[in-house]
Amino acid sequence: MAIESRYLFIVSMDVDLDYEALFNEVYDQEHIPFLMQVPGVRAVSRLKGEPFAVAIGGEVKQMDAPSPVYTALYEIDGPAVLTSPEWSAAVERGRWPREVRGHTSNRRHALMRVI
């Protein structure tokens, strides 16, 4: 995956297992489409961590799934996108704020400049 924007906004979180299906439905069908309408948002990719094995230093190590498990990568034009009125409105639209957000935990946010 080639990153074509100048910045990545990375959002990671866990979700209560009883709400995982709703979380994925709302994220894919509402949350991402609303945020894609924000000027300066170029692309969104979602990821789900899983356990794996990797060879390091001559041995194979078993690795747990990361925590938080879910991550979204937002390709954006710059930091100002995240405080724009359009972003502020988009993150409060749909079922996300009232039906999903309260069932997430271990939330992490990071902004990275592509070099």
Side-chain angles (χ1 to χ4, degrees), residues 31-32 35 43 48 62 67 73 76-77 84 88 97-99 112 114:
H31 200 56
I32 289 174
L35 289 169
K48 183 179 181 184
Q62 298 297 318
S67 177
L73 304 175
I76 62 174
D77 289 345
S84 69
S88 296
R98 67 183 186 283
E99 294 181 34
M112 303 289 199
V114 177

Side-chain angles (χ1 to χ4, degrees), residues 40-63:
V41 175
R42 302 294 171 197
V44 180
S45 298
R46 290 188 64 223
L47 308 132
K48 183 179 181 184
E50 56 185 51
F52 64 99
V54 61
I56 299 176
E59 65 179 289
V60 174
K61 295 184 179 185
Q62 298 297 318
M63 308 297 281

Side-chain angles (χ1 to χ4, degrees), residues 1-8 40 42-43 74-77 114:
M1 155 177 106
I3 300 170
E4 297 187 18
S5 64
R6 293 181 46 223
Y7 287 86
L8 279 180
R42 302 294 171 197
Y74 295 85
E75 294 187 39
I76 62 174
D77 289 345
V114 177

Side-chain angles (χ1 to χ4, degrees), residues 12-41:
S12 300
M13 67 192 74
D14 290 321
V15 62
D16 298 341
L17 291 179
D18 291 343
Y19 290 88
E20 194 168 22
L22 177 66
F23 170 87
N24 286 310
E25 174 191 336
V26 171
Y27 217 114
D28 291 338
Q29 296 178 12
E30 295 180 21
H31 200 56
I32 289 174
F34 293 151
L35 289 169
M36 286 298 300
Q37 294 173 12
V38 173
V41 175

